[in-house]
Amino acid sequence: MWLPQVLKPVSGNSTEKAVHVNEVAVRRKNSSKNIHLIVNLLVKHCHVPISCFTRQRARRRGASPRGLACCPSHHLWVNPESTIRYLLVEDSTSADVNQIITLLDNGADKAIVPLSLAKSLLGTVPAHRLLLLLDVANVSAVSDSVRNAVSGVLLKTSSSGGFGLDVDLVHSVSRFFVGAAVHVLAPDLPTPSIIRKLVAIGASVVIPFSQLTLGSTSQKMISVADAFLAPVVSDRPDGLFPTVISSDLHGKRSLGLVYSSCESVAESIRTGKGVYHSRKHGLWRKGETSGATQDVVRIRVDCDTDALEFSVVQHGAGFCHLNRASCFGDLDGLAALERTLASRLVDAPEGSYTRRLFNDEELLRAKIMEEADELCRAKTKEEVAFEAADLIYFTMARCVAAGVSVKHIERSLDKKAMKISRRPGNAKQQWMPKTESPKVDSSKAEAPRTSLAPFSKVPLDRNGPIRMRTIDISAVSSEDRAKLLKRPVLRSDEMIAKVKPIVDDVRTRGDCALRELTAKFDKARLATPLLLPPFYPLAPEAQQLDPAVRDAIDAAYSNVYKFHAAQIDGAPLVVETMPGVTCTRFARPIARVGLYVPGGTAVLPSTALMLGVPAQVAGCEKIVLATPPRADGSISPEVLYVAHKVGAHAILRAGGAQAVAALAYGTETVPKVDKIFGPGNQWVTAAKMLVQNDTDALVSIDMPAGPSEVLVIADDTCNPAFVAADLLSQAEHGIDSQVVLVASSLPETVLAEVEEEVDKQAHALGRVDIVRESVAKSLIVKTQGPDIAMEFSNDYAPEHLILHLRDAPTWVDHVKNAGSVFVGPYSPESCGDYASGTNHTLPTNGYARQFSGVNTQSFQKHITSQEVTMDGLQTLGPIVATLADCEGLQAHANAVRIRLGM
C-alpha cells in the first residue's frame, strides 16, 4: 500500500503564496494510534485550489484534510521521505497546464486530472506521470488518444450504486484501460475480501484517511495492516510470510531473510520499526536488546503475493548476529567506499593523504578536476573504468565531507529525472573549447584526413562548411583501400542478445506481451494488435488521405505493379535430360508473408508498396503488414490505402522486435507467416536474424539490413548540383548513412563546385544536423578514369549506384555488385525509392555481393519434379544403382533394382 501525500493551498503573501506538499507518515502522537500529516516540501507558486487525493475543497478551520490512501498496492511507504506524491485536480477550471507542470517539476510524482484537462496535457506531460480522474458513468467518453496518454485512472463512484462491491464492473473498465493502473474510489468501507478481489483483477481501492486506523479493524474503520495484507497469502503451513530485508541506504542490498506474521507487520506499521516473527519466540523486535534497530522505509509484496520485502535503515553493528552489515557478507562497491570514507573522516591521522583531502578544499577540488580531465581523455574500456573509479573516489570524499550520502545523490537523481521542463543542455562557456573557425575558400581548402574508414569518428565543426573527406585512391596502400570498403561494425551478437527477451516474451505470452510492448515502446495502448479489412475508405483514418497523395500512390502502384508483373515466373521449365527422363521446375507463391513497414511518427507508404505489390503479383495467400502505430493507436492513412491496394489481409499494429516475433511465431490473433520482408532499425534486423535461425519458427527473411548507402561515380560531364543532390538524398536518412563520391578524373574545379553545392543544399534542408554528421564521415574517392572507379564500386557493392558518366548506359554492363543502378543525369535515386517501378528494398552493408533486392521471385519458391518412364529407368537405373553402391546406400540401390528385377 502507498500513502500518497497531500497538496493543500495555504495562506501567504497576496502576490506570491505557497503550496505545502504534506507527506503522509505512520507515527505515534500522544500515545494515540492515528495517521497524521507532516509538512515536508515547500513549493513557491501562485495560489491554486488543488488538493492531492482530497475530496473536500472547503475545510473547516482546524479540521484535518480528508485525504485518501490507495490501498492495497504492492508498496507500503512508512518513511515520509520516500512517499509517492499524487496531485489531484478536481476542478479543471481552477488550474492550468503550467500550474500542473510546475508542481510536477517540484516534487509531485503524478497528476490526477479530469478528462477535460487531460486533453490539454496530451503530449506535454508524459503518460507515466498522468492519471485520469473519471466518473464511472463517463468511461465511454474516453477516446483512444486520451487512454493512450495516461498511465492509469481513478474511478469516482456513487454510494447508491454500491460500486465498491461491483468487482465485475471494475473488471470491465480495467479491460478498457488495458495495461494501465486502475484505482477505485469506493464510497463504502471495503472489506479485506473486496480488496482481494480487486487486486486479483489488477485494481486498487482508495480509502479515506478517516476510515483508516493503526488499531484493529472495526465496522467504521479498517486497519492499515489488514488492508495491506488482504491480498497476501502464505504458502507455509504456519501461515508466516518469508521476508527479505534490504538496506535502503545501500541500493536495496539484501541484509537477510526472516519471517513475518500479520501481527508483526501490523506492529511494524504502527511503530515504524523492524518487527518480525521468530519461529521459536514469536514477536521479534529487531535490535531491542543489541541496539541494532531498524527504521522501516517501505514494505513491498512480491509478484506472487506470498512474500514480503522490508526496506530499512539499519542501525548499530549491522543486521547479522555476527556484527556484519549483512548475513550475505560485507558491503562492497560504493557502499563500502562510503563507509570507509565516513570512518576516515572521523579517525584519519593528521597529515595523512585522506585527512589532507578532507581539510584542504583546494587540494580536493584540484584532484576532482584532474581526474575528470583524465576520464574525458580515456580511450579504451579499461581506461574509462579506471579513471571513472578515481573520479568517483574523490567525488565521494567531497560528498562525505559535506555530509552527503549515496542515498542523497540517488534522491537528487530521481528528482531531476522527474522534471518535465528541460534545460537546453548547453555547457558553460568556461568549459567550451576556445577555438575559432578560420575563414577558408571552400574551393581550395582540403578536408583533413583524420581516418580512412568512412564511418570513423571525426572532429565536427558545427559552424563550418558541410564537407566530405577526400582520398586519392592511387596514394593509398592495399590495406588502406580495404578500410575504405568497410561499413560500421554491426555487433549482431550483442543486438540478438538484447532482442531475445522481447522475442521470447511474445512467443510465450502472445497478444498480451504484444500489447504491453507496444504500450512501452510506441506509447500506444491497444485493445487488439490486429486490424482487419476494409482499410479504405471505411477506416476512420483513411478519411484523412490527401487526394493528391492518393493519386501519387495510384501512379506509383501502377509502375511498380507493371515492372514486377513482368518478373513473374509463370510457365514451368521442362527438360528431357535423356530419353524417358523428364525434369521440371515450377514456381509457387510463398503462402503467408509478413511485410515490415517502418513507421510510428514517419509515413512510409513507399515501403508498403515495394513489399505489398510483389507479394500481390506472386499470388501469396496471406499478406500481413506490420507497422508501428501512432501514439493514439492509429495507422497513417497512406499506409492504410496501400494495404487496401495490395489486398493485405491484416495489419499488425506493432513495431520492432515484438512485431517480428509475432509474425514468426504467431499469436492468438496474429497469423504466423513463412517469410518476413522489410527494412528496419538494428532491433528489427537482429530479431529477423534470430527467428530465421530458430528451427521452431520455420521462417525465412529477405536479407540482412544496415544503414542506407549510395555511391555516385561522376566524371567531367556531370552536373555538380545534381551530384550533390544525389549524395544528400541518402545522407539525410541518418547519421550512420554511407555516402561515397567516386571522382573519375574529375577536374578540381568541378569537384570544388560539387562540394560547394553539398554545403549550400545541405543548409537548406530541415534535417541539416543529421546531414552534417553523415557527410562529415563520407568520402570523396579520386580515381584515374572510369575503369578504376567501376572497380572500386564493385568492391564496395553499394545499395544504390548512380552513374554520372559520359555514355552512362554503356557502363551498366561493367556493374557486378550493386543493389540498384541509376543511369545518367536524369535518374535520381528518389525515382527508384518511390515510383519508377523498381524495388527500393535493397541489400546494404556490402551484401549486394551475395543478395538481390526484393523482387517478385522473392515471394515465390521453386519446386522440381521428375518423371521417369519404364524405358527411361532401363537406361538410368543401372547408373543410379552403381552410384548408390559406391556410397554404401544399399536401400537406395534396391529401390531401383526391385523395379528392374535386377
Side-chain angles (χ1 to χ4, degrees):
M1 176 176 68
W2 70 83
L3 302 178
Q5 297 163 326
V6 175
L7 273 67
K8 69 172 183 177
V10 297
S11 60
N13 184 282
S14 60
T15 57
E16 183 179 55
K17 301 201 175 182
V19 176
H20 289 276
V21 180
N22 297 302
E23 294 185 311
V24 176
V26 179
R27 67 177 188 177
R28 300 185 64 184
K29 183 178 182 182
N30 297 329
S31 301
S32 64
K33 301 173 182 178
N34 209 334
I35 299 175
H36 303 277
L37 303 175
I38 59 173
V39 177
N40 175 258
L41 176 66
L42 180 65
V43 183
K44 286 192 174 181
H45 193 267
C46 294
H47 178 81
V48 285
I50 297 174
S51 59
C52 178
F53 278 44
T54 302
R55 296 175 66 183
Q56 53 189 74
R57 272 174 247 149
R59 302 191 184 93
R60 298 183 304 276
R61 182 180 300 273
S64 63
R66 189 176 181 229
L68 304 173
C70 277
C71 90
S73 76
H74 290 295
H75 307 270
L76 170 59
W77 300 93
V78 180
N79 188 320
E81 293 185 356
S82 303
T83 308
I84 297 176
R85 305 165 180 87
Y86 280 72
L87 171 68
L88 174 61
V89 182
E90 293 188 292
D91 184 1
S92 60
T93 63
S94 60
D96 61 26
V97 171
N98 292 331
Q99 292 173 328
I100 301 301
I101 292 175
T102 298
L103 290 169
L104 289 171
D105 280 345
N106 285 281
D109 291 82
K110 299 175 185 287
I112 307 175
V113 300
L115 180 59
S116 57
L117 187 55
K119 294 176 181 178
S120 303
L121 294 169
L122 295 184
T124 302
V125 176
H128 71 278
R129 305 287 299 281
L130 199 59
L131 286 87
L132 191 62
L133 178 64
L134 188 65
D135 191 287
V136 69
N138 296 331
V139 171
S140 60
V142 180
S143 66
D144 286 346
S145 60
V146 172
R147 180 182 61 182
N148 293 330
V150 299
S151 59
V153 60
L154 173 60
L155 294 174
K156 296 169 61 179
T157 64
S158 61
S159 57
S160 59
F163 181 78
L165 301 177
D166 196 344
V167 178
D168 290 337
L169 182 54
V170 177
H171 196 191
S172 66
V173 174
S174 68
R175 286 197 295 267
F176 176 74
F177 288 97
V178 61
V182 177
H183 308 298
V184 184
L185 177 51
D188 305 314
L189 181 67
T191 64
S193 173
I194 290 299
I195 294 173
R196 279 192 294 273
K197 291 178 181 180
L198 288 172
V199 171
I201 62 172
S204 300
V205 64
V206 178
I207 308 172
F209 286 164
S210 59
Q211 294 179 357
L212 286 170
T213 179
L214 296 182
S216 301
T217 297
S218 64
Q219 290 184 343
K220 295 183 178 181
M221 303 183 78
I222 185 171
S223 164
V224 174
D226 287 348
F228 176 67
L229 292 172
V232 184
V233 179
S234 175
D235 60 359
R236 293 173 51 85
D238 56 13
L240 299 179
F241 310 118
T243 302
V244 175
I245 310 299
S246 65
S247 174
D248 183 68
L249 298 180
H250 300 131
K252 308 301 182 290
R253 177 189 174 93
S254 295
L255 300 182
L257 177 68
V258 298
Y259 292 92
S260 296
S261 62
C262 293
E263 180 187 6
S264 70
V265 172
E267 188 67 6
S268 277
I269 294 173
R270 187 184 68 82
T271 62
K273 299 294 183 180
V275 182
Y276 310 108
H277 188 96
S278 167
R279 287 172 291 173
K280 292 183 179 180
H281 307 294
L283 208 62
W284 168 35
R285 302 177 189 275
K286 172 64 179 170
E288 191 171 44
T289 57
S290 67
T293 59
Q294 298 172 341
D295 293 329
V296 179
V297 176
R298 178 184 59 194
I299 305 174
R300 293 196 296 183
V301 182
D302 80 330
C303 57
D304 293 325
T305 62
D306 59 5
L308 303 177
E309 181 199 42
F310 275 53
S311 185
V312 304
V313 175
Q314 179 68 54
H315 300 291
F319 178 82
C320 182
H321 70 284
L322 299 178
N323 292 330
R324 296 185 307 196
S326 167
C327 291
F328 301 109
D330 208 352
L331 299 175
D332 56 13
L334 287 178
L337 174 61
E338 181 182 19
R339 183 182 63 182
T340 299
L341 288 172
S343 173
R344 291 179 181 174
L345 178 65
V346 175
D347 57 18
E350 288 298 330
S352 66
Y353 184 36
T354 307
R355 176 56 62 193
R356 289 175 57 209
L357 287 175
F358 287 135
N359 292 344
D360 190 341
E361 291 186 2
E362 288 303 316
L363 172 62
L364 183 54
R365 180 181 185 278
K367 290 302 298 180
I368 292 174
M369 302 296 290
E370 173 189 327
E371 298 302 337
D373 181 68
E374 291 182 0
L375 175 60
C376 293
R377 297 175 185 275
K379 300 298 183 184
T380 68
K381 180 179 179 181
E382 292 76 14
E383 289 173 350
V384 170
F386 185 87
E387 300 300 344
D390 282 349
L391 178 59
I392 289 172
Y393 175 86
F394 292 107
T395 302
M396 283 302 301
R398 174 74 179 90
C399 291
V400 169
V404 174
S405 68
V406 172
K407 187 64 179 179
H408 291 126
I409 298 171
E410 290 174 345
R411 286 175 184 159
S412 181
L413 287 172
D414 291 341
K415 184 177 179 180
K416 291 175 180 178
M418 294 176 68
K419 290 278 188 180
I420 295 175
S421 305
R422 297 295 181 182
R423 296 179 297 178
N426 301 323
K428 293 181 179 179
Q429 193 62 39
Q430 68 192 88
W431 304 116
M432 295 296 291
K434 297 176 175 59
T435 58
E436 294 185 2
S437 302
K439 295 182 178 180
V440 296
D441 185 343
S442 60
S443 64
K444 297 179 181 179
E446 289 191 8
R449 289 184 55 186
T450 56
S451 173
L452 292 175
F455 51 87
S456 297
K457 186 175 181 179
V458 296
L460 186 64
D461 182 0
R462 295 194 175 275
N463 298 314
I466 297 176
R467 297 172 59 84
M468 303 170 71
R469 294 172 296 146
T470 302
I471 301 292
D472 190 334
I473 199 67
S474 64
V476 302
S477 64
S478 57
E479 181 181 358
D480 286 341
R481 185 181 186 278
K483 291 181 181 179
L484 297 176
L485 303 175
K486 290 183 177 181
R487 309 316 202 264
V489 177
L490 298 177
R491 301 186 182 276
S492 57
D493 54 342
E494 294 181 6
M495 283 307 305
I496 287 175
K498 291 179 180 179
V499 303
K500 191 175 188 305
I502 298 174
V503 171
D504 290 344
D505 193 21
V506 174
R507 180 181 182 182
T508 303
R509 298 196 299 123
D511 283 349
C512 182
L514 260 185
R515 289 193 295 267
E516 291 176 7
L517 291 166
T518 301
K520 177 179 180 181
F521 294 119
D522 298 309
K523 312 305 178 188
R525 290 189 173 86
L526 308 173
T528 175
L530 208 66
L531 285 182
L532 298 175
F535 305 122
Y536 183 88
L538 299 181
E541 299 95 323
Q543 309 300 322
Q544 306 166 14
L545 183 60
D546 185 335
V549 174
R550 184 192 60 206
D551 293 343
I553 290 175
D554 288 341
Y557 172 87
S558 176
N559 287 349
V560 175
Y561 191 98
K562 188 180 301 181
F563 183 68
H564 286 76
Q567 302 170 22
I568 192 76
D569 193 346
L573 171 69
V574 181
V575 177
E576 188 177 47
T577 56
M578 64 170 51
V581 181
T582 303
C583 296
T584 305
R585 191 189 78 162
F586 52 91
R588 293 289 184 270
I590 296 173
R592 303 166 299 182
V593 294
L595 314 181
Y596 187 86
V597 180
T601 57
V603 178
L604 294 174
S606 59
T607 299
L609 271 176
M610 296 298 172
L611 300 175
V613 169
Q616 182 184 32
V617 169
C620 297
E621 295 175 11
K622 190 175 289 292
I623 301 173
V624 182
L625 263 65
T627 190
R630 297 184 287 196
D632 62 357
S634 66
I635 302 298
S636 73
E638 295 82 2
V639 172
L640 285 175
Y641 183 59
V642 172
H644 162 74
K645 293 280 289 186
V646 303
H649 299 82
I651 297 178
L652 168 58
R653 294 182 291 176
Q658 60 270 26
V660 174
L663 294 172
Y665 299 103
T667 70
E668 300 92 322
T669 60
V670 181
K672 179 198 169 357
V673 302
D674 302 310
K675 189 171 182 179
I676 300 173
F677 296 80
N681 59 22
Q682 55 185 342
W683 294 83
V684 173
T685 300
K688 286 170 66 178
M689 296 171 67
L690 176 62
V691 299
Q692 178 185 232
N693 292 322
D694 184 0
T695 55
D696 288 339
L698 286 177
V699 69
S700 66
I701 65 173
D702 48 358
M703 68 189 82
S708 296
E709 54 190 43
V710 65
L711 186 146
V712 178
I713 303 179
D715 63 13
D716 58 351
T717 65
C718 74
N719 182 318
F722 290 3
V723 172
D726 287 340
L727 295 169
L728 293 174
S729 69
Q730 286 303 302
E732 73 171 349
H733 272 296
I735 62 173
D736 55 355
S737 295
Q738 308 296 294
V739 178
V740 179
L741 169 61
V742 180
S744 173
S745 301
L746 199 62
E748 290 296 328
T749 54
V750 179
L751 189 56
E753 290 182 49
V754 171
E755 292 188 276
E756 288 176 1
E757 282 290 336
V758 166
D759 184 55
K760 181 177 72 174
Q761 294 181 33
H763 278 97
L765 299 174
R767 298 167 71 90
V768 62
D769 290 336
I770 292 175
V771 168
R772 183 183 294 278
E773 291 200 46
S774 58
V775 169
K777 293 178 288 187
S778 302
L779 287 174
I780 298 174
V781 179
K782 293 182 178 179
T783 67
Q784 296 300 314
D787 290 303
I788 298 177
M790 188 60 70
E791 181 183 358
F792 181 86
S793 174
N794 283 327
D795 289 342
Y796 189 84
E799 178 189 16
H800 303 98
L801 171 61
I802 303 177
L803 302 179
H804 286 278
L805 294 171
R806 183 181 288 103
D807 300 323
T810 64
W811 286 98
V812 175
D813 289 341
H814 295 261
V815 177
K816 297 178 181 178
N817 300 317
S820 190
V821 185
F822 300 83
V823 186
Y826 296 100
S827 304
E829 182 271 334
S830 313
C831 290
D833 265 358
Y834 292 105
S836 65
T838 60
N839 206 291
H840 79 197
T841 308
L842 304 167
T844 61
N845 210 44
Y847 279 109
R849 299 183 187 91
Q850 302 94 0
F851 286 87
S852 304
V854 167
N855 56 75
T856 301
Q857 293 190 21
S858 303
F859 293 84
Q860 294 180 298
K861 57 183 182 290
H862 290 86
I863 305 171
T864 59
S865 68
Q866 46 268 303
E867 181 180 0
V868 182
T869 65
M870 182 178 291
D871 291 339
L873 188 60
Q874 294 290 339
T875 304
L876 183 63
I879 299 171
V880 172
T882 299
L883 291 174
D885 289 339
C886 176
E887 293 186 353
L889 299 177
Q890 185 178 1
H892 280 64
N894 186 60
V896 171
R897 290 190 174 111
I898 199 170
R899 286 172 167 80
L900 295 179
M902 296 172 62

